[in-house]
Amino acid sequence: MFSLAVGAFACNRDPDRERLRRTTRPEYDEKTGRLQRLTYDANKDGYVDTWVHMDGPRIVRTEVDRDQNGRIDRWAYPDDKGGLMRVEEDTNGDGRADKWESYTDGRLASATFDETGDGRPDRRLNYDADGRLVSIESEPADRGSFKKKIDVP
């Protein structure tokens, strides 16, 4: 009778709850007790792929390993209101950011790309408040500005 009850309990376990228990872990500063980091399984495959760096209740940045290769390939930084301010991505798997997105009031304001792999932006797309592409800039100058700009009608 006891083994039957144990077997029934084991069969009724919630796999999502078990996965969350294994992959969602808080880490606290030993001296202050403040929350420093949370881990999470965002794609629900049973492995940690998201690390949320915290300063107590405030999110400092979120790091994600989207392709499960053991290297971070997306970094997201919040603004003071808790929305997105900036996202950096490694789109080619070399371990360095080559795409940068800037947000204003929760909307994409610009996306900048390193298309030559030298670590410097080569092209920038600018968007208006309604999310429409308004200009494309290219041919970077030495100080992070661009020489050529095409306005999109």
Side-chain angles (χ1 to χ4, degrees), residues 45-133:
D45 68 353
Y47 299 97
V48 172
D49 54 21
T50 304
W51 297 262
V52 182
H53 295 266
M54 310 286 293
D55 180 15
R58 186 178 66 83
I59 296 174
V60 176
R61 86 177 164 279
T62 302
E63 300 176 338
V64 181
D65 177 8
R66 293 175 300 170
D67 58 8
Q68 301 283 304
N69 69 353
R71 293 194 322 204
I72 304 299
D73 47 32
R74 185 176 194 273
W75 301 263
Y77 301 87
D79 61 18
D80 293 339
K81 300 172 191 168
L84 272 179
M85 176 180 63
R86 184 175 85 240
V87 173
E88 300 175 2
E89 292 185 43
D90 173 12
T91 64
N92 62 11
D94 69 356
R96 297 184 313 171
D98 52 31
K99 177 182 175 186
W100 301 269
E101 295 176 345
S102 295
Y103 293 80
T104 302
D105 296 327
R107 67 164 181 81
L108 181 63
S110 69
T112 308
F113 305 88
D114 172 13
E115 297 175 326
T116 60
D118 64 358
R120 297 175 55 196
D122 305 312
R123 180 171 52 108
R124 180 169 49 218
L125 309 178
N126 297 300
Y127 299 89
D128 68 13
D130 294 321
R132 291 184 299 248
L133 179 65

